[in-house]
Amino acid sequence: MAVKKSELYSKLWASCDELRGGMDASQYKDYVLTLLFVKYVSDKFKGQPFADIEIPEGASFDDMVALKRDAHLGEEMDKIIAKLAESNNLRNVIDNAKFNDEEKMGKGEEKRDRLSNLIDIFDNPDLNFKDNRTDGDDIIGDAYEYLMKNFAKDSGKSKGQFYTPAEVSRILAKIIGIKNAKSSDTLYDCACGSGSLLIKAASECDNKVTIYGQEKDGATAGMAKMNMVLHNLSTATIHKDNTMAAPFFKEQDSKGNNIDNKLKQFNYIVANPPFSLKNWKNGVDTEKYGIYQGYSTPPEKCGDYAWLLHCIKSLKQTGTGAIILPHGVLFRGNAEAEIRKEIIDRGLIKAIIGLPANLFFGTGIPACIIVFDKKDANERKGIFMIDASKGFVKDGPKNKLREQDIKKIVDAYEGQLNLPKFSRFVENEEIKVKNEYNLNIPRYIDTSEVEDLQSIEAHLHGGIPMEDVDSLNKYWEQFSNLKEKLFSKLRDGFYKLNIDKDDVRKTIYNDEQFASYSQKVDKAFSDWKSFADEKFRAMNKNIKSKELIIELSNKLISEFEMVKLIDKYDVYEVLLEYWQEVMLDDTSLICSDNGWNEAKETELEFAKPKKAKEGEEKKPKKEPKVTGWHGKIISRELLASVYFSDAVLAIETANNAIAEQEGLLQSLIEENSDDDSIFNECMNDKNEVTTKLVETKFKDLKKLNQIDDDYNLLKQYIDINDVIKQLNKDLKTLNAGLEEDLKKKYPTLTIEEIKDILINKKWLKVAYDGIDNLYTTISHNIANRIVELVERYENTLSEIENNVNSYEAKVKDHLKRMGFELC
């Protein structure tokens, strides 16, 4: 049975809970990722001849399972991993985490139980990767990336550098143009970390390229090798060493021998090296490879340009590369300014993309992507620049690029689009002469917002400044008649409002052109909906979810291309955000081996029978009790809204009635809460009035035949509480009835009914609601702005002064009549 990615992720993250406390994230990630690797390769390759990974006898995850609860479990797990590493040349790669380490795992029974619980989490039917598809919908590789991201979050500044955020990796992967690479092409990362950048770039290819990476940190290089295997890229070459001091990859002669002083060159390069590395020159021979020939040597305490020059030297004449560097490389002076000038003069920089601050783990400084290539460098007329610093969303303490931000960056770069306040091609003359080789992006792209200045003349003499009204020109282009309905000329440079201020919104919403605009929005969505409906209904095991969303999202953007006012990238985000949260899980299940039949699966959770005591035989029940159930992708709430709307309404009504009665009860207590209130005698030690104490006090008064105000208050409380009790009883009956109806309905659903529910009542409905919200926001924006302008200049300064004088005279007159005389 297929498993949702979100469920898989939660199970994997649960394994981390077993290790927290004994070590920090930068350490326990090694244990979790090692177990994930062993589990995956065991499921995938055990018993398979000529497999990428050999699983020798006694070196599989199954051997770990067999040893659960063993007193020497930690020691045996280390032996199993060592044997697996030895057979696959993975020594010092997958065996860095020591499961027998008492400092991290504890001692005796604590260690045994912790490791056994860890194995139990991975020994789960949902984590069977035997039939995992690695050709586009890579569930295990995605799970690895999920863990890496969360480890980087938890590690903070200590080890966050091992991971490049997937969103940034995707941008680099797309802009280097690797999609159409040949199978003979090569891909390189000189500071590959855990390999996420390389993997994202390789995933863009239609063909498999040859992958090379070098990483200084041994544990991180090991993660990169495991990552490659988990992403079905086991042929990648990852080398552990210092790239600056000992670059590993060299050109070879005709006999295959390394040419020691000549770096290997690659077709494609991606890199996210450590920012501003202070000790980059340690052990570096700056003359040996000719990296700095024709350039100044980068400053000793800042290695940013050392990485860039290494990448340029390692790039083939027809290749393309992209590197992430701190924003300071664009404008810093001295030796870096000289290097920057030389690189620009050689035409090696194709594009610069400014990114938001606080994207990366371990640093909050803003960064940029520098795209470099050598093809036609001598003829390059300038540099394409993108300022994407404003496009992000907060994600906890960090910032995160949204899907729409990634799409807009890639579209602008690939189309070389001139987008206001975002992107433009900057000619060499402007860079070299006007700005003296300073590449600081704000010099070329102004992203500042126009200040909302107020008109002194309008405050003095009335009217609404024409420039304020004309600034809404994007609306008037769509609703040309609306401007004439709302405004007419008062005097030169100023309009007056033709209608009452309170009628502004009604006039806008009733405008014929405004109404026809909503029809354009509906038609664009309707045309996309027809396309999407057909694609969704045809889903089967041969469809890849990731390819499906690309097709759907591109079609959505094309449909809204000509619908002005609504930003097509906002529309794109509506779909992609919901895709990541819900639809990817749903469609991945349906695109499994069972196709749409997978959507019929309903999980019933049965009560677990109590374990029999030693020597006692437990009699099995004929039918175990069902304690819980849920639909995999059709929730109870969704099914209820489609087939049992009357019951849903009845439950909602009952809940509202209960809330109303509870409000009456609370008001009764609050309105009678003075010091001598009878309710003070009905409070527990937490100063809360309880029904039990109220009923006891009421019985006492009744016995004494004390029928007074206190008696009536308590009687009123009890009467309301009785109503609440009955309503809760009715609600319980309604819920039970709906529960039974739903449980009976699930198994009877046909495939066509399931398709209709998921496509029309779930996926497309959420997409439509999101786009409708964008349209509603537009209508509110224009109405709010017009009302704001009207109210701003509604009263002139002289009118305000006259009103103040009038009020002042009235106050003086009133005081005089009271016997007070003001000087």
Side-chain angles (χ1 to χ4, degrees), residues 427-470:
E427 294 187 356
N428 284 330
E429 179 76 10
E430 185 176 352
I431 294 171
K432 298 178 180 181
V433 179
K434 185 177 178 181
N435 288 286
E436 299 178 330
Y437 293 89
N438 187 315
L439 295 176
N440 196 16
I441 297 176
R443 287 176 174 246
Y444 305 96
I445 300 174
D446 180 11
T447 61
S448 61
E449 297 296 329
V450 177
E451 190 176 354
D452 187 15
L453 300 175
Q454 297 197 28
S455 167
I456 295 175
E457 183 180 346
H459 280 301
L460 291 173
H461 304 296
I464 302 169
M466 284 185 175
E467 60 184 352
D468 284 338
V469 175
D470 293 343

Side-chain angles (χ1 to χ4, degrees), residues 546-737:
K546 290 180 181 179
E547 292 180 2
L548 176 63
I549 188 56
I550 291 172
E551 194 174 7
L552 291 174
S553 59
N554 286 340
K555 177 66 173 177
L556 186 63
I557 277 192
S558 69
E559 290 294 346
F560 278 85
E561 188 83 46
M562 301 308 295
V563 180
K564 304 302 181 184
L565 300 182
I566 291 183
D567 189 329
K568 64 183 180 181
Y569 292 107
D570 287 338
V571 175
Y572 178 87
E573 181 67 19
V574 167
L575 175 62
L576 268 293
E577 183 179 2
Y578 186 54
W579 175 268
Q580 296 294 345
E581 290 177 356
V582 176
M583 290 176 68
L584 177 58
D585 259 357
D586 291 353
T587 55
S588 293
L589 282 174
I590 295 167
C591 292
S592 69
D593 289 341
N594 290 331
W596 273 100
N597 285 307
E598 188 72 30
K600 278 184 67 68
E601 297 285 352
T602 301
E603 291 187 353
L604 299 178
E605 297 168 1
F606 293 94
K608 294 181 180 179
K610 293 181 179 179
K611 290 184 178 180
K613 295 180 181 179
E614 192 171 345
E616 177 185 318
E617 186 177 342
K618 187 72 179 178
K619 294 182 180 179
K621 294 182 180 180
K622 290 183 179 179
E623 292 185 9
K625 181 182 177 183
V626 177
T627 58
W629 61 276
H630 66 274
K632 266 191 171 296
I633 54 179
I634 298 178
S635 68
R636 303 182 192 192
E637 292 76 16
L638 178 57
L639 191 67
S641 69
V642 175
Y643 290 102
F644 305 104
S645 56
D646 290 344
V648 172
L649 179 60
I651 290 171
E652 183 180 345
T653 302
N655 276 313
N656 291 338
I658 291 170
E660 182 181 356
Q661 292 298 318
E662 287 176 342
L664 290 174
L665 200 63
Q666 189 62 34
S667 297
L668 180 68
I669 295 170
E670 290 174 356
E671 290 168 5
N672 298 276
S673 59
D674 49 331
D675 292 340
D676 58 351
S677 170
I678 189 66
F679 286 126
N680 289 333
E681 301 177 35
C682 304
M683 288 186 177
N684 59 17
D685 55 4
K686 296 180 180 179
N687 291 325
E688 297 170 338
V689 175
T690 69
T691 301
K692 184 177 181 180
L693 291 174
V694 169
E695 290 175 343
T696 300
K697 190 65 180 176
F698 179 74
K699 289 177 182 177
D700 291 343
L701 294 180
K702 194 171 185 180
K703 282 181 182 178
L704 297 171
N705 200 27
Q706 186 178 328
I707 313 300
D708 55 10
D709 289 343
D710 288 344
Y711 177 91
N712 290 330
L713 273 178
L714 296 178
K715 178 72 165 60
Q716 193 175 352
Y717 179 102
I718 291 170
D719 289 344
I720 295 173
N721 194 62
D722 286 343
V723 173
I724 293 173
K725 285 180 180 178
Q726 184 58 49
L727 286 170
N728 276 314
K729 186 178 179 182
D730 295 342
L731 179 61
K732 186 177 180 180
T733 302
L734 288 170
N735 278 320

Side-chain angles (χ1 to χ4, degrees), residues 59-174:
S60 73
F61 181 77
D62 295 335
D63 296 300
M64 291 184 179
V65 174
L67 289 166
K68 276 191 308 183
R69 315 299 168 191
D70 187 281
H72 304 288
L73 180 56
E75 182 182 350
E76 294 302 321
M77 289 176 70
D78 284 343
K79 288 179 181 178
I80 289 169
I81 295 168
K83 192 171 184 180
L84 182 63
E86 190 68 42
S87 297
N88 293 280
N89 195 27
L90 293 173
R91 297 287 295 176
N92 300 318
V93 174
I94 66 171
D95 53 357
N96 292 313
K98 303 304 179 185
F99 289 85
N100 201 38
D101 188 335
E102 292 185 344
E103 286 187 14
K104 295 183 174 67
M105 293 296 175
K107 298 179 180 180
E109 291 185 3
E110 179 191 2
K111 179 175 66 175
R112 181 199 65 192
D113 291 344
R114 172 174 282 175
L115 293 175
S116 295
N117 292 339
L118 200 57
I119 291 172
D120 278 337
I121 291 169
F122 283 88
D123 185 25
N124 186 304
D126 286 339
L127 299 186
N128 187 334
F129 305 120
K130 184 174 178 60
D131 297 319
N132 173 54
R133 297 166 63 191
T134 57
D135 54 349
D137 290 328
D138 190 1
I139 189 169
I140 188 64
D142 289 348
Y144 186 91
E145 289 297 305
Y146 163 83
L147 289 171
M148 293 299 295
K149 176 182 177 180
N150 283 278
F151 290 142
K153 280 183 178 179
D154 281 6
S155 296
K157 291 186 178 180
S158 62
K159 282 285 185 178
Q161 71 270 17
F162 62 70
Y163 177 75
T164 302
E167 297 80 22
V168 181
S169 296
R170 286 167 53 199
I171 293 174
L172 270 73
K174 290 179 181 295

